[in-house]
Amino acid sequence: MGTRLDSREDQAETVTDQLQEAYPDATISLNFSNRLELLVAVVLSAQCTDERVNETTPDLFETYQTPADYAGADEEQLAEDIYGITFHNNKAGYLKGIGEILVDDHDGQVPDTMDALTDLPGVGRKTANVVLQHGHDVVEGVVVDTHVQRLSRRLGLTDNERPEAIEEDLQELVPQEAWQEITHLFISHGRAVCTARSPDCTDCCLEDRCPSSQLDSDIDLASGEQWDA
């Protein structure tokens, strides 16, 4: 079982420092060359692997290069063009709707505010945060995907389950200048070591700091143990 720290603030600082050493090049894994491509890729990535998205988008981006292209697309054809992406039929509708709104309300540009982005079909706060951070260099929050949700709970940084509540907790614990980085560090570690079903605690650089370590411990990985506030 990992060492118990005095506070979640100490834990957050230690976790960030150690993951920075382990993953110095951690960054977004989706492929894109402009803001529209970023927005489309992130929408497609919901409940789908980045690897599958990156396999699909080269041909998609060749065919659909502007918001007007998505707005004028035949929805059935668009769904066929992203076949293999999870919920491709629904996401085709999202992409067409996004194109229409960008053309009608934003002069064909991807907006740079949280409110405008979350008004787009298929775009929630997580997606909007990614677009703001990597498309506009605006860091307004922490992107909480499934890896961040899982690791922040296992590491004792939050007791919450909802992404919005976890984001609030992390924003209080992590300096704003590290909000963007912490997401990529958690994602990298979640993919490489702290997987959902079979976390490799033996080779984990955070094992001695993790209240959910499976080494000599029967602690529930979903929640970990309580940390002093």
Side-chain angles (χ1 to χ4, degrees):
M1 173 181 166
T3 303
R4 185 185 183 91
L5 300 184
D6 292 334
S7 70
R8 283 178 167 164
E9 287 78 8
D10 290 338
Q11 176 74 331
E13 181 178 1
T14 300
V15 164
T16 301
D17 289 345
Q18 293 190 5
L19 290 181
Q20 284 172 336
E21 292 183 11
Y23 309 98
D25 300 319
T27 188
I28 189 170
S29 58
L30 292 170
N31 296 330
F32 62 94
S33 62
N34 57 53
R35 291 166 180 165
L36 177 61
E37 290 183 359
L38 171 63
L39 173 59
V40 170
V42 181
V43 169
L44 294 181
S45 72
Q47 300 183 12
C48 187
T49 66
D50 289 355
E51 181 180 12
R52 175 56 63 88
V53 173
N54 287 337
E55 292 173 352
T56 302
T57 51
D59 288 341
L60 183 71
F61 293 161
E62 181 69 24
T63 303
Y64 304 92
Q65 299 185 11
T66 69
D69 291 337
Y70 288 100
D74 177 83
E75 192 169 324
E76 290 186 3
Q77 180 59 54
L78 185 51
E80 179 65 25
D81 291 336
I82 59 172
Y83 184 81
I85 295 291
T86 310
F87 304 120
H88 63 282
N89 288 318
N90 290 338
K91 290 177 182 178
Y94 295 157
L95 296 185
K96 184 175 175 64
I98 287 172
E100 291 170 348
I101 294 175
L102 294 187
V103 169
D104 293 342
D105 299 339
H106 299 287
D107 297 321
Q109 302 300 311
V110 175
D112 61 358
T113 67
M114 179 65 70
D115 287 344
L117 284 167
T118 53
D119 281 342
L120 299 174
V123 177
R125 183 173 177 87
K126 180 189 77 173
T127 297
N129 266 324
V130 176
V131 174
L132 288 175
Q133 291 180 11
H134 294 279
H136 295 286
D137 293 324
V138 174
V139 180
E140 189 170 315
V142 177
V143 177
V144 179
D145 75 340
T146 56
H147 295 290
V148 176
Q149 186 176 21
R150 180 175 72 254
L151 267 67
S152 61
R153 285 172 54 79
R154 286 182 177 176
L155 290 166
L157 299 177
T158 183
D159 298 319
N160 287 304
E161 297 182 1
R162 294 187 305 105
E164 296 83 2
I166 292 173
E167 181 183 5
E168 291 179 2
D169 288 342
L170 292 177
Q171 287 177 192
E172 292 181 0
L173 296 173
V174 178
Q176 186 170 1
E177 59 267 23
W179 285 0
Q180 179 174 324
E181 182 183 26
I182 195 67
T183 293
H184 300 305
L185 293 174
F186 277 4
I187 290 173
S188 294
H189 194 60
R191 287 173 174 165
V193 178
C194 195
T195 58
R197 295 184 179 180
S198 303
D200 187 1
C201 297
T202 302
D203 292 330
C204 180
C205 63
L206 300 174
E207 191 280 325
D208 64 337
R209 296 286 183 168
C210 182
S212 300
S213 171
Q214 289 185 316
L215 302 185
D216 299 323
S217 174
D218 294 326
I219 294 176
D220 181 6
L221 280 175
S223 61
E225 67 177 42
Q226 294 287 333
W227 292 77
D228 298 333

